Amino acid sequence: MLIPIVTFVFLTALFAFGAAGLYLVQRSASPRTELKRRLQQLAGTDREFPFELRGRLADQARRAGALVTRTPFARRIARRLELAGMETTPAAVLAGSALIALLTGAATAFLTGKAAAAAGGAVVCAMEVALRLRISRRHERFTELLPDALTMIARSLRAGHSLAVAVQLVAEEIPPPVGPLFRTAHEQQQLGLRMVDALTAMNERVESLDLRFFTIMVNINAEIGGNLSELLDKLAGTIRERLKIRRQVRVYTAQGRMSGYVLGALPLIAFAIFNSANPEYESTLLKEPTGLIILVLAALLQLAGLAIIRKIINIRI
């Protein structure tokens, strides 16, 4: 039992130092830190290393940071983080997940005396579930606030303002996540990008069919003209009606969701109660190979039942 504990503690410490080094590498490679170093050099306050040595260190730091972000897996994580609205870097997510996996494995080895290889997979699954929940909540919040943004743009156009001014007004008045997305589009327009292209680029930062309808309307209006304010009012009304129907459907399917929660939690609660009241009663399932197979099969059937219930009550509108 001592050998796996020492092994996990050593790996955890080694990875902690590696994560700290990676954080320092990314920090040293950031443009803000590089600008600060140059200002300190001009002020004469940075005299720790020669300029040539600091230049080599900064170049190596950029290469190390680019090595992490070039991998396809890191790019997929960056895409998921952008959809979730998180400013964390993929390297930080990978480092934190691996560190949590090592700590979980070390704790499991300390409690059971065995190195649990499933700890890493559980952490990865938990990270994926957390990202999906964050993306889903951000998408729901975006869908709820988008009609107000469209209505504000339509009223601003009727008042005689340009589309750029209307987008700036949305960026200042609408809360996140709609406001920051339109603020980014407005800043891109100020840097020289066409407003139509800046609004179209928002589709890469959030997956929303309503936003695609909005950008298509803006593109068509820029090419052939038309009453954009009236179209935006109709789109906002359609989104509000769909949200209203979706809330009604959630009310009608509340009993099904509650049944799924009860059926999913009841076996676990019953197993925990029986195991605490009479440990010998459940010992056969935990010690015998046949009992472990039965538990795994029961867990798979339980997950399949929950998936079926979720599929039934998940009505897309």
Side-chain angles (χ1 to χ4, degrees), residues 258-283:
M258 184 59 65
S259 300
Y261 296 152
V262 172
L263 293 177
L266 185 60
L268 299 177
I269 296 175
F271 184 82
I273 293 175
F274 290 150
N275 192 24
S276 60
N278 189 4
E280 297 180 358
Y281 184 77
E282 304 287 349
S283 61

PDB file of all heavy atoms in Angstrom, residues 258-283:
ATOM      1  N   MET A 258     -39.220  14.714 -13.140  1.00  0.00           N
ATOM      2  CA  MET A 258     -39.169  14.317 -11.743  1.00  0.00           C
ATOM      3  C   MET A 258     -39.151  12.791 -11.595  1.00  0.00           C
ATOM      4  O   MET A 258     -38.451  12.246 -10.740  1.00  0.00           O
ATOM      5  CB  MET A 258     -40.359  14.908 -10.995  1.00  0.00           C
ATOM      6  CG  MET A 258     -40.353  14.619  -9.499  1.00  0.00           C
ATOM      7  SD  MET A 258     -38.861  15.251  -8.677  1.00  0.00           S
ATOM      8  CE  MET A 258     -39.092  17.030  -8.934  1.00  0.00           C
ATOM      9  N   SER A 259     -39.901  12.093 -12.445  1.00  0.00           N
ATOM     10  CA  SER A 259     -39.878  10.629 -12.413  1.00  0.00           C
ATOM     11  C   SER A 259     -38.490  10.099 -12.753  1.00  0.00           C
ATOM     12  O   SER A 259     -38.004   9.141 -12.133  1.00  0.00           O
ATOM     13  CB  SER A 259     -40.910  10.072 -13.400  1.00  0.00           C
ATOM     14  OG  SER A 259     -42.209  10.495 -13.071  1.00  0.00           O
ATOM     15  N   GLY A 260     -37.829  10.726 -13.723  1.00  0.00           N
ATOM     16  CA  GLY A 260     -36.467  10.304 -14.053  1.00  0.00           C
ATOM     17  C   GLY A 260     -35.498  10.527 -12.909  1.00  0.00           C
ATOM     18  O   GLY A 260     -34.641   9.675 -12.633  1.00  0.00           O
ATOM     19  N   TYR A 261     -35.618  11.664 -12.234  1.00  0.00           N
ATOM     20  CA  TYR A 261     -34.739  11.930 -11.098  1.00  0.00           C
ATOM     21  C   TYR A 261     -34.967  10.924  -9.969  1.00  0.00           C
ATOM     22  O   TYR A 261     -34.006  10.405  -9.369  1.00  0.00           O
ATOM     23  CB  TYR A 261     -34.981  13.346 -10.574  1.00  0.00           C
ATOM     24  CG  TYR A 261     -34.643  14.432 -11.562  1.00  0.00           C
ATOM     25  CD1 TYR A 261     -35.305  15.660 -11.525  1.00  0.00           C
ATOM     26  CD2 TYR A 261     -33.668  14.235 -12.544  1.00  0.00           C
ATOM     27  CE1 TYR A 261     -35.008  16.660 -12.433  1.00  0.00           C
ATOM     28  CE2 TYR A 261     -33.370  15.229 -13.459  1.00  0.00           C
ATOM     29  CZ  TYR A 261     -34.040  16.435 -13.399  1.00  0.00           C
ATOM     30  OH  TYR A 261     -33.742  17.422 -14.303  1.00  0.00           O
ATOM     31  N   VAL A 262     -36.243  10.624  -9.689  1.00  0.00           N
ATOM     32  CA  VAL A 262     -36.544   9.685  -8.606  1.00  0.00           C
ATOM     33  C   VAL A 262     -36.062   8.285  -8.952  1.00  0.00           C
ATOM     34  O   VAL A 262     -35.435   7.592  -8.133  1.00  0.00           O
ATOM     35  CB  VAL A 262     -38.060   9.697  -8.306  1.00  0.00           C
ATOM     36  CG1 VAL A 262     -38.413   8.588  -7.315  1.00  0.00           C
ATOM     37  CG2 VAL A 262     -38.470  11.046  -7.753  1.00  0.00           C
ATOM     38  N   LEU A 263     -36.340   7.839 -10.168  1.00  0.00           N
ATOM     39  CA  LEU A 263     -35.915   6.502 -10.574  1.00  0.00           C
ATOM     40  C   LEU A 263     -34.392   6.385 -10.650  1.00  0.00           C
ATOM     41  O   LEU A 263     -33.837   5.298 -10.448  1.00  0.00           O
ATOM     42  CB  LEU A 263     -36.520   6.160 -11.939  1.00  0.00           C
ATOM     43  CG  LEU A 263     -38.047   5.987 -11.967  1.00  0.00           C
ATOM     44  CD1 LEU A 263     -38.527   5.729 -13.385  1.00  0.00           C
ATOM     45  CD2 LEU A 263     -38.470   4.853 -11.042  1.00  0.00           C
ATOM     46  N   GLY A 264     -33.721   7.483 -10.936  1.00  0.00           N
ATOM     47  CA  GLY A 264     -32.270   7.438 -10.985  1.00  0.00           C
ATOM     48  C   GLY A 264     -31.630   7.456  -9.611  1.00  0.00           C
ATOM     49  O   GLY A 264     -30.588   6.801  -9.389  1.00  0.00           O
ATOM     50  N   ALA A 265     -32.223   8.165  -8.656  1.00  0.00           N
ATOM     51  CA  ALA A 265     -31.625   8.272  -7.327  1.00  0.00           C
ATOM     52  C   ALA A 265     -32.079   7.180  -6.376  1.00  0.00           C
ATOM     53  O   ALA A 265     -31.363   6.864  -5.413  1.00  0.00           O
ATOM     54  CB  ALA A 265     -31.963   9.639  -6.721  1.00  0.00           C
ATOM     55  N   LEU A 266     -33.239   6.576  -6.628  1.00  0.00           N
ATOM     56  CA  LEU A 266     -33.778   5.584  -5.691  1.00  0.00           C
ATOM     57  C   LEU A 266     -32.885   4.358  -5.521  1.00  0.00           C
ATOM     58  O   LEU A 266     -32.635   3.937  -4.380  1.00  0.00           O
ATOM     59  CB  LEU A 266     -35.180   5.167  -6.141  1.00  0.00           C
ATOM     60  CG  LEU A 266     -35.938   4.226  -5.191  1.00  0.00           C
ATOM     61  CD1 LEU A 266     -36.125   4.887  -3.828  1.00  0.00           C
ATOM     62  CD2 LEU A 266     -37.303   3.859  -5.788  1.00  0.00           C
ATOM     63  N   PRO A 267     -32.349   3.737  -6.579  1.00  0.00           N
ATOM     64  CA  PRO A 267     -31.464   2.581  -6.359  1.00  0.00           C
ATOM     65  C   PRO A 267     -30.208   2.926  -5.569  1.00  0.00           C
ATOM     66  O   PRO A 267     -29.768   2.141  -4.722  1.00  0.00           O
ATOM     67  CB  PRO A 267     -31.130   2.123  -7.777  1.00  0.00           C
ATOM     68  CG  PRO A 267     -32.231   2.643  -8.621  1.00  0.00           C
ATOM     69  CD  PRO A 267     -32.616   3.942  -8.012  1.00  0.00           C
ATOM     70  N   LEU A 268     -29.623   4.083  -5.832  1.00  0.00           N
ATOM     71  CA  LEU A 268     -28.416   4.476  -5.099  1.00  0.00           C
ATOM     72  C   LEU A 268     -28.716   4.696  -3.619  1.00  0.00           C
ATOM     73  O   LEU A 268     -27.945   4.269  -2.744  1.00  0.00           O
ATOM     74  CB  LEU A 268     -27.821   5.737  -5.721  1.00  0.00           C
ATOM     75  CG  LEU A 268     -27.374   5.624  -7.183  1.00  0.00           C
ATOM     76  CD1 LEU A 268     -26.868   6.972  -7.692  1.00  0.00           C
ATOM     77  CD2 LEU A 268     -26.293   4.561  -7.342  1.00  0.00           C
ATOM     78  N   ILE A 269     -29.824   5.367  -3.336  1.00  0.00           N
ATOM     79  CA  ILE A 269     -30.185   5.623  -1.946  1.00  0.00           C
ATOM     80  C   ILE A 269     -30.511   4.317  -1.223  1.00  0.00           C
ATOM     81  O   ILE A 269     -30.076   4.087  -0.072  1.00  0.00           O
ATOM     82  CB  ILE A 269     -31.378   6.597  -1.881  1.00  0.00           C
ATOM     83  CG1 ILE A 269     -30.972   7.952  -2.467  1.00  0.00           C
ATOM     84  CG2 ILE A 269     -31.867   6.761  -0.449  1.00  0.00           C
ATOM     85  CD1 ILE A 269     -32.122   8.935  -2.555  1.00  0.00           C
ATOM     86  N   ALA A 270     -31.241   3.411  -1.889  1.00  0.00           N
ATOM     87  CA  ALA A 270     -31.567   2.117  -1.269  1.00  0.00           C
ATOM     88  C   ALA A 270     -30.318   1.287  -1.015  1.00  0.00           C
ATOM     89  O   ALA A 270     -30.170   0.655   0.042  1.00  0.00           O
ATOM     90  CB  ALA A 270     -32.542   1.352  -2.171  1.00  0.00           C
ATOM     91  N   PHE A 271     -29.382   1.305  -1.962  1.00  0.00           N
ATOM     92  CA  PHE A 271     -28.131   0.555  -1.789  1.00  0.00           C
ATOM     93  C   PHE A 271     -27.328   1.118  -0.622  1.00  0.00           C
ATOM     94  O   PHE A 271     -26.750   0.361   0.177  1.00  0.00           O
ATOM     95  CB  PHE A 271     -27.313   0.609  -3.078  1.00  0.00           C
ATOM     96  CG  PHE A 271     -26.065  -0.213  -3.040  1.00  0.00           C
ATOM     97  CD1 PHE A 271     -26.101  -1.575  -3.284  1.00  0.00           C
ATOM     98  CD2 PHE A 271     -24.838   0.375  -2.752  1.00  0.00           C
ATOM     99  CE1 PHE A 271     -24.950  -2.340  -3.256  1.00  0.00           C
ATOM    100  CE2 PHE A 271     -23.683  -0.373  -2.720  1.00  0.00           C
ATOM    101  CZ  PHE A 271     -23.735  -1.737  -2.967  1.00  0.00           C
ATOM    102  N   ALA A 272     -27.256   2.454  -0.519  1.00  0.00           N
ATOM    103  CA  ALA A 272     -26.507   3.058   0.586  1.00  0.00           C
ATOM    104  C   ALA A 272     -27.162   2.752   1.931  1.00  0.00           C
ATOM    105  O   ALA A 272     -26.475   2.471   2.925  1.00  0.00           O
ATOM    106  CB  ALA A 272     -26.410   4.574   0.362  1.00  0.00           C
ATOM    107  N   ILE A 273     -28.504   2.764   1.992  1.00  0.00           N
ATOM    108  CA  ILE A 273     -29.193   2.478   3.256  1.00  0.00           C
ATOM    109  C   ILE A 273     -28.983   1.024   3.673  1.00  0.00           C
ATOM    110  O   ILE A 273     -28.666   0.722   4.832  1.00  0.00           O
ATOM    111  CB  ILE A 273     -30.694   2.805   3.118  1.00  0.00           C
ATOM    112  CG1 ILE A 273     -30.886   4.317   2.955  1.00  0.00           C
ATOM    113  CG2 ILE A 273     -31.460   2.306   4.345  1.00  0.00           C
ATOM    114  CD1 ILE A 273     -32.315   4.715   2.704  1.00  0.00           C
ATOM    115  N   PHE A 274     -29.140   0.088   2.737  1.00  0.00           N
ATOM    116  CA  PHE A 274     -28.939  -1.323   3.053  1.00  0.00           C
ATOM    117  C   PHE A 274     -27.497  -1.618   3.456  1.00  0.00           C
ATOM    118  O   PHE A 274     -27.238  -2.403   4.370  1.00  0.00           O
ATOM    119  CB  PHE A 274     -29.335  -2.190   1.863  1.00  0.00           C
ATOM    120  CG  PHE A 274     -30.803  -2.230   1.605  1.00  0.00           C
ATOM    121  CD1 PHE A 274     -31.304  -2.412   0.325  1.00  0.00           C
ATOM    122  CD2 PHE A 274     -31.710  -2.057   2.648  1.00  0.00           C
ATOM    123  CE1 PHE A 274     -32.670  -2.438   0.102  1.00  0.00           C
ATOM    124  CE2 PHE A 274     -33.072  -2.077   2.430  1.00  0.00           C
ATOM    125  CZ  PHE A 274     -33.554  -2.267   1.152  1.00  0.00           C
ATOM    126  N   ASN A 275     -26.552  -0.954   2.793  1.00  0.00           N
ATOM    127  CA  ASN A 275     -25.146  -1.200   3.100  1.00  0.00           C
ATOM    128  C   ASN A 275     -24.757  -0.639   4.457  1.00  0.00           C
ATOM    129  O   ASN A 275     -23.927  -1.217   5.166  1.00  0.00           O
ATOM    130  CB  ASN A 275     -24.270  -0.582   2.008  1.00  0.00           C
ATOM    131  CG  ASN A 275     -22.830  -1.048   2.094  1.00  0.00           C
ATOM    132  OD1 ASN A 275     -22.541  -2.108   2.629  1.00  0.00           O
ATOM    133  ND2 ASN A 275     -21.922  -0.251   1.550  1.00  0.00           N
ATOM    134  N   SER A 276     -25.356   0.475   4.859  1.00  0.00           N
ATOM    135  CA  SER A 276     -25.049   1.038   6.175  1.00  0.00           C
ATOM    136  C   SER A 276     -25.785   0.300   7.299  1.00  0.00           C
ATOM    137  O   SER A 276     -25.256   0.145   8.404  1.00  0.00           O
ATOM    138  CB  SER A 276     -25.421   2.521   6.202  1.00  0.00           C
ATOM    139  OG  SER A 276     -26.807   2.691   5.938  1.00  0.00           O
ATOM    140  N   ALA A 277     -26.997  -0.176   7.021  1.00  0.00           N
ATOM    141  CA  ALA A 277     -27.760  -0.885   8.054  1.00  0.00           C
ATOM    142  C   ALA A 277     -27.261  -2.309   8.263  1.00  0.00           C
ATOM    143  O   ALA A 277     -27.142  -2.778   9.399  1.00  0.00           O
ATOM    144  CB  ALA A 277     -29.244  -0.896   7.680  1.00  0.00           C
ATOM    145  N   ASN A 278     -26.957  -2.992   7.172  1.00  0.00           N
ATOM    146  CA  ASN A 278     -26.502  -4.385   7.265  1.00  0.00           C
ATOM    147  C   ASN A 278     -25.407  -4.596   6.226  1.00  0.00           C
ATOM    148  O   ASN A 278     -25.675  -4.984   5.083  1.00  0.00           O
ATOM    149  CB  ASN A 278     -27.667  -5.340   7.028  1.00  0.00           C
ATOM    150  CG  ASN A 278     -27.288  -6.786   7.327  1.00  0.00           C
ATOM    151  OD1 ASN A 278     -26.173  -7.074   7.791  1.00  0.00           O
ATOM    152  ND2 ASN A 278     -28.209  -7.696   7.078  1.00  0.00           N
ATOM    153  N   PRO A 279     -24.141  -4.321   6.576  1.00  0.00           N
ATOM    154  CA  PRO A 279     -23.061  -4.439   5.591  1.00  0.00           C
ATOM    155  C   PRO A 279     -22.920  -5.841   5.010  1.00  0.00           C
ATOM    156  O   PRO A 279     -22.515  -6.002   3.855  1.00  0.00           O
ATOM    157  CB  PRO A 279     -21.815  -4.017   6.382  1.00  0.00           C
ATOM    158  CG  PRO A 279     -22.335  -3.221   7.524  1.00  0.00           C
ATOM    159  CD  PRO A 279     -23.658  -3.801   7.862  1.00  0.00           C
ATOM    160  N   GLU A 280     -23.204  -6.868   5.791  1.00  0.00           N
ATOM    161  CA  GLU A 280     -23.059  -8.223   5.282  1.00  0.00           C
ATOM    162  C   GLU A 280     -24.080  -8.539   4.193  1.00  0.00           C
ATOM    163  O   GLU A 280     -23.854  -9.430   3.373  1.00  0.00           O
ATOM    164  CB  GLU A 280     -23.210  -9.212   6.441  1.00  0.00           C
ATOM    165  CG  GLU A 280     -22.124  -9.067   7.500  1.00  0.00           C
ATOM    166  CD  GLU A 280     -22.314 -10.063   8.639  1.00  0.00           C
ATOM    167  OE1 GLU A 280     -23.324 -10.811   8.590  1.00  0.00           O
ATOM    168  OE2 GLU A 280     -21.462 -10.083   9.548  1.00  0.00           O
ATOM    169  N   TYR A 281     -25.184  -7.831   4.179  1.00  0.00           N
ATOM    170  CA  TYR A 281     -26.230  -8.092   3.195  1.00  0.00           C
ATOM    171  C   TYR A 281     -25.763  -7.746   1.780  1.00  0.00           C
ATOM    172  O   TYR A 281     -26.129  -8.415   0.799  1.00  0.00           O
ATOM    173  CB  TYR A 281     -27.473  -7.291   3.567  1.00  0.00           C
ATOM    174  CG  TYR A 281     -28.663  -7.548   2.674  1.00  0.00           C
ATOM    175  CD1 TYR A 281     -29.417  -8.703   2.827  1.00  0.00           C
ATOM    176  CD2 TYR A 281     -29.025  -6.636   1.685  1.00  0.00           C
ATOM    177  CE1 TYR A 281     -30.510  -8.938   2.003  1.00  0.00           C
ATOM    178  CE2 TYR A 281     -30.108  -6.859   0.870  1.00  0.00           C
ATOM    179  CZ  TYR A 281     -30.850  -8.019   1.026  1.00  0.00           C
ATOM    180  OH  TYR A 281     -31.920  -8.252   0.203  1.00  0.00           O
ATOM    181  N   GLU A 282     -24.947  -6.682   1.665  1.00  0.00           N
ATOM    182  CA  GLU A 282     -24.455  -6.250   0.361  1.00  0.00           C
ATOM    183  C   GLU A 282     -23.033  -6.710   0.081  1.00  0.00           C
ATOM    184  O   GLU A 282     -22.467  -6.381  -0.962  1.00  0.00           O
ATOM    185  CB  GLU A 282     -24.498  -4.713   0.265  1.00  0.00           C
ATOM    186  CG  GLU A 282     -25.844  -4.088   0.528  1.00  0.00           C
ATOM    187  CD  GLU A 282     -26.811  -4.320  -0.608  1.00  0.00           C
ATOM    188  OE1 GLU A 282     -26.358  -4.787  -1.661  1.00  0.00           O
ATOM    189  OE2 GLU A 282     -28.015  -4.029  -0.434  1.00  0.00           O
ATOM    190  N   SER A 283     -22.418  -7.469   1.003  1.00  0.00           N
ATOM    191  CA  SER A 283     -21.022  -7.866   0.828  1.00  0.00           C
ATOM    192  C   SER A 283     -20.826  -8.784  -0.362  1.00  0.00           C
ATOM    193  O   SER A 283     -19.778  -8.752  -1.018  1.00  0.00           O
ATOM    194  CB  SER A 283     -20.519  -8.535   2.113  1.00  0.00           C
ATOM    195  OG  SER A 283     -21.286  -9.706   2.385  1.00  0.00           O
TER     196      SER A 283
END
